[in-house]
Amino acid sequence: KQWYQRRVRGIFKIPKLKVCALRVTERARARILKNGGEIITLDQLALRSPKGQNTVLVQGPRKAREAYRHFGPAPGVPHSKTKPYVRSKGRKFERGRGRR
């Protein structure tokens, strides 16, 4: 049971939050509103607190872009986890020695 609990990701109990975002998924919207939270847009936030007092800016991970998978030591070099730029993943494409 401990193994399973460590692998579970996410927050189970959402506290009462005021969230300002460009877009929110339907599931996140439902969870926030169910617990008495509020979702506002950026222009509403600008009217409520023009100086940005009592607000917290949160950014997503910057290296989450798919392009970052292609950076690093050349694909094919030993111990390289870099993703090659390949047209397809078929039998004829980059399936040479050491790739099968």
Side-chain angles (χ1 to χ4, degrees):
K1 185 161 183 167
Q2 287 178 336
W3 178 85
Y4 174 74
Q5 286 174 344
R6 274 189 265 136
R7 301 250 179 319
V8 174
R9 298 182 71 206
I11 303 170
F12 293 113
K13 293 182 181 177
I14 301 282
K16 185 176 178 180
L17 291 174
K18 281 185 190 172
V19 177
C20 172
L22 293 173
R23 58 192 156 105
V24 181
T25 62
E26 287 299 315
R27 189 168 178 195
R29 180 183 302 277
R31 291 176 74 183
I32 292 167
L33 295 176
K34 186 179 90 173
N35 291 312
E38 186 181 8
I39 300 169
I40 60 174
T41 58
L42 290 171
D43 54 336
Q44 290 171 326
L45 177 69
L47 292 173
R48 287 189 189 183
S49 60
K51 293 186 177 181
Q53 294 165 323
N54 298 323
T55 58
V56 178
L57 276 176
V58 180
Q59 290 185 12
R62 292 189 180 187
K63 292 208 171 186
R65 291 174 47 217
E66 201 274 337
Y68 277 97
R69 293 175 179 216
H70 299 283
F71 301 161
V77 171
H79 310 297
S80 167
K81 302 284 190 242
T82 308
K83 186 177 181 181
Y85 289 103
V86 183
R87 190 166 38 128
S88 298
K89 258 192 119 172
R91 172 184 58 83
K92 300 183 285 186
F93 304 98
E94 294 219 10
R95 288 281 183 253
R97 284 175 245 113
R99 284 278 179 185
R100 52 184 159 181

